[in-house]
Amino acid sequence: MAFPVEDDRVFNFTNGRMEPDPVHEPPSGEDLTLVIDNGCFSCRAGWACENEPRMQFKNVMAKNRGSRSKAGDWDTQIGNDIKNIEVVRWLLKTQFDRNVVVNFEVQEQIFDHIFHHLGITSENCVPHPLVLTEAVCNPSHCRHLMSELLFECYHIPRVTYGIDALFSLHHNTGGTAGDALVVSAGYHTTHVLPVIDGRLDAQHCKRINVGGAHSTAYLQRLLQLKHPALLAGITLSRVEKLAQHHCYVARDYVAELECWHDAAYSEANTRVIQLPCASRPGLGATGTASACPASAPVAANSGGDERRQQQLRRLQELNTRRRVERLQADAHKLQTLRKVQEMEAHGNSEQLSQALCSLGLRSMAELHLNIERLQAAMDTRSHHVQSDDFQEPRADEERGMEQEKAEWLQKLRRERGMLLERLKNRLKDSAHKGQPPSTVCSRDQNSMLHGLLNLYFFLLGTAEKLHKQNEPYIKEEEDDDDEGMMGHRESTESDSEEDREHLADVERLLRQHDTAFEKPGLAVQPPLAAFNLSEFYRLRMGVERPRVPETIFQPSLLGEDCAGLIETIEFVINRYPAEQQAKLVQRLFVTGGNAAYVGMQARLQQELLAIRPFKSSFNVMLAEDPVLDSWHGACDWATRSVENSQVWISRAEYLEKGGHYLKEHEASNMYIPAPSIQ
């Protein structure tokens, strides 16, 4: 997903497109057991006799609204079939409400997808035993609906249910769990599960309604607030990968924040994420400008002129064709009108009135008027058609036009030089005579000064002083010499203004018709090669790296009013006597997607050291593969218990005892029978 580029702190983010799952061939053998780890975030499915699951996909479904396939079915995409999940995110559906399956229509679609891609081709049934994971303390009603779906729809011969975290525990301990305290850090929830003598103590289980989904959404909000210009690029699927690869759990969160206050530490530990950016015309693939030879603009201009000439010829031919077609239609209409006009000479009034009515005319006068107008319009169109023959200008005419244009441009350049020289001389004269160098209209400046002084004296209560004056307020004492100098200055400035206006018109014409003209004084623009487009598509992950995983320990960062992971562990431990507490903390097992954060084990050891008695011992154990160990544990359990009918629910038992029935084993929930109704 990410690998360093340029320096150690810049990581290149690549969009990995999902590949649709192929249709596998089932392994050879009889009575093969299916294993499905039905997780909230992703689903793993395969055969118990194999080492790795054949299918891993996001446990979501997208059904396009209003479109059907050729077979008449709704266009449904599941898991890896969704190439770009952000495009259809508003259409996504899941079978889960937090960690409990409640939408069994979606679950049926996902089962169909799994069984089809695993190569099960038997008609109207799935003739394989099934090991399926379920939520901790799963409601009996939800288990009843799941059993009904499996036995009634798919005719499963036998099924067993288990908890994914307990399967993972047994896989990492070799099937001898004993006493343990399991932390299941899932996608929607986090569970603390005490295991006594290898069995789940469901009465003391606790759930925290914070998981990986909340942390990912929190990181997305932080990055969008930090980079508001990249809102569209900070998608949820990208943020999930950023959280997995760049976030870590701080050993001491407060001390870690103090370290991030240091500029050197922050600069050294901030990671820059390079998002994908599309190249623009004139830019290379890396976002920098591509070098162009000096002759490229000339060639581009010549090619552009040729294309414009071709377009002009095509448009001319199209207009001529349309005029000819319109002229033919008008000729046919004029012929019809003249036939009606001839009826008047024959004296057949009845046919004449019918013909006028069919043409939408009310009298012969209106008929004559339409004939005259149509004839005039045809004459005009025929004149246009005759003048529409496009002819290329001759070479001598082109040379004459180019020569005239060159002479005219040369005249404009000379005129511009004379105007510039005249203005320069006036500036020198004004500087020599001690006049202000500015040639902006002094009359306007005096008017502005007069308005400001009017406002000033009005606020001071002395506005009467300015009302007595008819001219702008310059000075109260002026002699005749100053008045003469002012009059000479105003005439000079008016001439300068006329020259400036004329100069502006000349330069406008030169910019429009002379490609070599460049107005002096303009700043030279930096070359496009200095612009790096990729720098505008970079995310900076600083203090967000330890802050996002901290939501598991402090849900208050998300606004959740619930205890954190350490408080919940302490609460569960304190429900047991001291001897049992010592046994539980000897094996604190952590599994689930959030257990993959760097520093999780060290943080739990630090927190346990604070809540446990002085000099007490404890051990924190992480799953080897927090994501796949539950599926591997279910495979190990199915291999050991395939012949043990005491742990499998058969179809006959389902029909006899109902869908809520459960057979307990070391990785299952407790079975609580429904109360009998008298």
Side-chain angles (χ1 to χ4, degrees), residues 487-529:
H488 175 70
R489 184 185 305 172
E490 288 181 355
S491 62
T492 305
E493 289 172 351
S494 63
D495 294 339
S496 299
E497 286 300 315
E498 291 178 0
D499 289 344
R500 285 179 177 275
E501 292 176 359
H502 191 190
L503 178 63
D505 294 337
V506 171
E507 289 182 344
R508 178 177 56 80
L509 291 174
L510 286 173
R511 281 194 298 269
Q512 185 176 359
H513 299 282
D514 189 2
T515 57
F517 173 74
E518 182 179 357
K519 186 176 178 181
L522 293 176
V524 179
Q525 297 295 330
L528 189 60

Side-chain angles (χ1 to χ4, degrees), residues 45-90:
W47 303 97
C49 58
E50 296 181 344
N51 296 327
E52 296 296 331
R54 291 199 175 188
M55 299 178 63
Q56 295 186 58
F57 58 90
K58 285 190 176 182
N59 219 348
V60 291
M61 180 190 75
K63 179 184 290 186
N64 294 336
R65 297 180 179 178
S67 62
R68 288 177 180 265
S69 62
K70 295 182 179 179
D73 300 328
W74 293 104
D75 187 9
T76 302
Q77 296 177 327
I78 295 175
N80 296 332
D81 293 342
I82 307 173
K83 294 183 179 180
N84 189 352
I85 198 171
E86 296 301 329
V87 177
V88 294
R89 186 168 290 279
W90 64 286

Side-chain angles (χ1 to χ4, degrees), residues 116-261:
H116 171 68
H117 285 82
L118 287 180
I120 300 175
T121 58
S122 54
E123 189 174 355
N124 297 328
C125 69
V126 179
H128 300 280
L130 175 63
V131 179
L132 182 66
T133 59
E134 64 176 5
V136 178
C137 301
N138 191 33
S140 297
H141 176 68
C142 296
R143 186 182 301 115
H144 170 77
L145 295 178
M146 182 66 76
S147 297
E148 181 179 352
L149 176 65
L150 293 174
F151 286 112
E152 300 292 346
C153 181
Y154 297 102
H155 301 281
I156 297 287
R158 50 182 177 164
V159 67
T160 188
Y161 301 101
I163 301 172
D164 52 356
L166 298 184
F167 280 136
S168 179
L169 172 66
H170 286 280
H171 176 72
N172 284 268
T173 58
T176 57
D179 295 335
L181 189 65
V182 180
V183 175
S184 176
Y187 187 63
H188 286 297
T189 57
T190 302
H191 287 88
V192 179
L193 312 175
V195 177
I196 307 298
D197 295 332
R199 291 298 182 93
L200 176 68
D201 186 4
Q203 295 180 355
H204 296 150
C205 293
K206 294 298 176 184
R207 184 181 74 178
I208 307 171
N209 292 325
V210 174
H214 305 82
S215 302
T216 303
Y218 183 52
L219 178 59
Q220 185 184 29
R221 292 199 300 269
L222 291 178
L223 292 179
Q224 286 179 343
L225 288 172
K226 193 173 185 179
H227 304 277
L230 299 175
L231 290 179
I234 306 175
T235 60
L236 199 60
S237 56
R238 289 179 177 176
V239 172
E240 287 172 356
K241 296 181 180 179
L242 294 179
Q244 294 171 5
H245 292 82
H246 299 286
C247 291
Y248 65 92
V249 178
R251 187 182 183 93
D252 187 342
Y253 183 64
V254 177
E256 186 71 16
L257 291 183
E258 293 294 333
C259 294
W260 278 95
H261 282 300

Side-chain angles (χ1 to χ4, degrees), residues 5 9 32 50 55 73 78 86 89 97 119 225 248 325 339 397 404 426 429 517 523 568 570 573 601 655 662:
V5 295
R9 295 185 303 109
L32 299 174
E50 296 181 344
M55 299 178 63
D73 300 328
I78 295 175
E86 296 301 329
R89 186 168 290 279
D97 181 6
L225 288 172
Y248 65 92
E325 292 175 356
K339 287 181 179 180
E397 293 180 356
E404 290 179 2
R426 284 177 183 159
D429 294 341
F517 173 74
T568 306
E570 184 179 11
I573 291 175
Q601 186 175 12
L655 295 174
L662 174 69

Side-chain angles (χ1 to χ4, degrees), residues 537-590:
Y537 289 86
R538 288 181 178 177
L539 304 178
R540 296 181 63 86
M541 288 187 63
V543 73
E544 297 86 4
R545 295 178 61 199
R547 179 179 293 174
V548 170
E550 189 65 22
T551 56
I552 304 172
F553 300 92
Q554 299 185 46
S556 58
L557 294 174
L558 301 171
E560 296 287 341
D561 187 15
C562 62
L565 178 59
I566 300 303
E567 291 85 354
T568 306
I569 290 175
E570 184 179 11
F571 179 82
V572 172
I573 291 175
N574 291 336
R575 305 283 289 179
Y576 296 94
E579 295 181 359
Q580 190 62 45
Q581 291 181 20
K583 294 180 180 180
L584 289 175
V585 297
Q586 289 301 319
R587 185 178 286 170
L588 179 61
F589 179 74
V590 186

Side-chain angles (χ1 to χ4, degrees), residues 30 33 50 52 59 87 94 110 128 141 149 166 205 255 292 327 364 387 394 408 434 468 483 506 556 613 631 645 670:
E30 297 181 357
T33 303
E50 296 181 344
E52 296 296 331
N59 219 348
V87 177
T94 180
I110 291 177
H128 300 280
H141 176 68
L149 176 65
L166 298 184
C205 293
C292 296
L327 190 61
M364 289 299 298
S387 62
R394 293 177 298 181
W408 176 66
K468 296 178 182 179
E483 291 178 358
V506 171
S556 58
W631 186 86
S645 61
M670 291 180 59

